[in-house]
Amino acid sequence: MQGTVDGFSYGAVTPVVAYLMACLGGALGLRCTTRSLLVTHARRPAWLALGSAAIGSGIWTMHFVAMMGFTIEEAPIHYDRPLTYASLGLAIVMVGIGIFIVGYRGATGTPLFTGGTITGLGVASMHYLGMAGVRFHGRFTYNTVTVAASVVIAVVAATAALWAAGQVRGFLWSVGASLVMGLAVSGMHYTGMSALTVHLDGAAHAGGGAPTASALAPMLIGPLAFLLLAGVVVIVDPLMVVGRPQRTPVEHKPGVPAAAVTAHTDRRPVLHEGRRPVHHHSRTPQNR
């Protein structure tokens, strides 16, 4: 028996809130990735890890906020908690691999393609593993072509977002990139949802779909609290808002520090009007 599916039980509320969650996680994660490019290598892993967790949590939260509006009219829905949390861990790990590749190898060429592909596959894997945790009296089947389209959307979105993070062009640039990323992630989710068909086992059950929101709400508290904490970190750090500083600190410059070059350049002889330049002879000939 085929079930009747409603993906928008609360109207436009769940898609809009889900989109905002995806944008929030994307914005925080991209700013952390951008910040990692402005610090020393010793501090870079911490910023990249925070960015990975922010993006992974945002995508996971977006998915399950959207799932609050998903109901099967003939059967109640429950969730397998271990699989649900495993999908969160998978999202953070795979997004982290992609972000670390771009953070250390650069957001161009092969590193960007590799990192974007892994991150996109992480987003898609999180979605379908999360769907595997849905429990009801029946099973899901998927249209292969539509599933493939959702994976392509996830990979393209992730690659574009990582490229934007590597540009380091300031706060507004990252906000725009996060809006695009949120739209793409939401599009991937609803494309994937359109690929499924519900097959019920036996007779229909009364009260279908009623426990969905109450079952999901407690599981969303942790990721939402983490996103709030990451937001506080972003607000407290001024460089997270303004982007690349006008003068790059000495420790951030490869090779000869910029301050040393400037100081050396500024030690030129001063020309006074009507006078010849005054040369100060060094006491150590080898330093000339």
Side-chain angles (χ1 to χ4, degrees):
M1 175 182 177
Q2 185 168 328
T4 305
V5 174
D6 184 2
F8 304 93
S9 299
Y10 297 99
V13 174
T14 48
V16 170
V17 176
Y19 171 71
L20 293 177
M21 289 298 101
C23 291
L24 175 61
L28 295 176
L30 293 179
R31 291 312 296 164
C32 291
T33 304
T34 297
R35 185 67 175 91
S36 73
L37 302 176
L38 306 176
V39 299
T40 57
H41 283 275
R43 297 174 59 189
R44 185 171 297 177
W47 285 109
L48 292 175
L50 181 61
S52 305
I55 293 178
S57 297
I59 294 171
W60 188 86
T61 304
M62 173 268 150
H63 172 84
F64 285 102
V65 167
M67 287 300 293
M68 285 185 175
F70 177 79
T71 58
I72 302 173
E73 293 185 5
E74 298 85 359
I77 296 176
H78 304 280
Y79 289 86
D80 183 291
R81 288 179 179 265
L83 271 180
T84 300
Y85 287 122
S87 67
L88 172 61
L90 179 64
I92 293 175
V93 169
M94 293 195 69
V95 168
I97 293 174
I99 285 181
F100 269 78
I101 290 174
V102 170
Y104 280 96
R105 304 297 297 177
T108 58
T110 302
L112 175 62
F113 175 78
T114 304
T117 300
I118 294 175
T119 302
L121 291 177
V123 173
S125 299
M126 180 281 303
H127 173 86
Y128 291 107
L129 182 59
M131 293 303 298
V134 178
R135 295 288 180 261
F136 65 102
H137 296 287
R139 69 186 189 282
F140 292 133
T141 58
Y142 292 91
N143 179 279
T144 305
V145 175
T146 309
V147 169
S150 70
V151 174
V152 171
I153 292 174
V155 170
V156 172
T159 303
L162 292 179
W163 173 82
Q167 301 309 300
V168 197
R169 294 185 181 178
F171 179 72
L172 293 180
W173 177 268
S174 291
V175 169
S178 66
L179 293 177
V180 174
M181 183 179 182
L183 182 62
V185 170
S186 299
M188 177 269 155
H189 171 84
Y190 286 106
T191 300
M193 295 302 291
S194 69
L196 67 82
T197 302
V198 174
H199 300 277
L200 298 176
D201 296 334
H205 297 266
T212 303
S214 60
L216 284 173
M219 293 189 287
L220 293 173
I221 294 176
L224 285 174
F226 173 79
L227 289 175
L228 178 62
L229 177 62
V232 171
V233 174
V234 169
I235 294 173
V236 168
D237 188 348
L239 288 181
M240 298 291 288
V241 177
V242 299
R244 182 183 292 278
Q246 293 181 351
R247 295 184 178 180
T248 308
V250 174
E251 64 174 359
H252 301 161
K253 291 285 291 182
V256 180
V261 176
T262 304
H264 179 75
T265 306
D266 291 340
R267 287 198 291 266
R268 295 175 181 174
V270 180
L271 289 175
H272 299 280
E273 185 177 356
R275 299 183 182 180
R276 298 179 61 187
V278 179
H279 298 276
H280 299 280
H281 298 282
S282 173
R283 294 181 180 180
T284 55
Q286 62 271 24
N287 292 335
R288 292 180 181 175

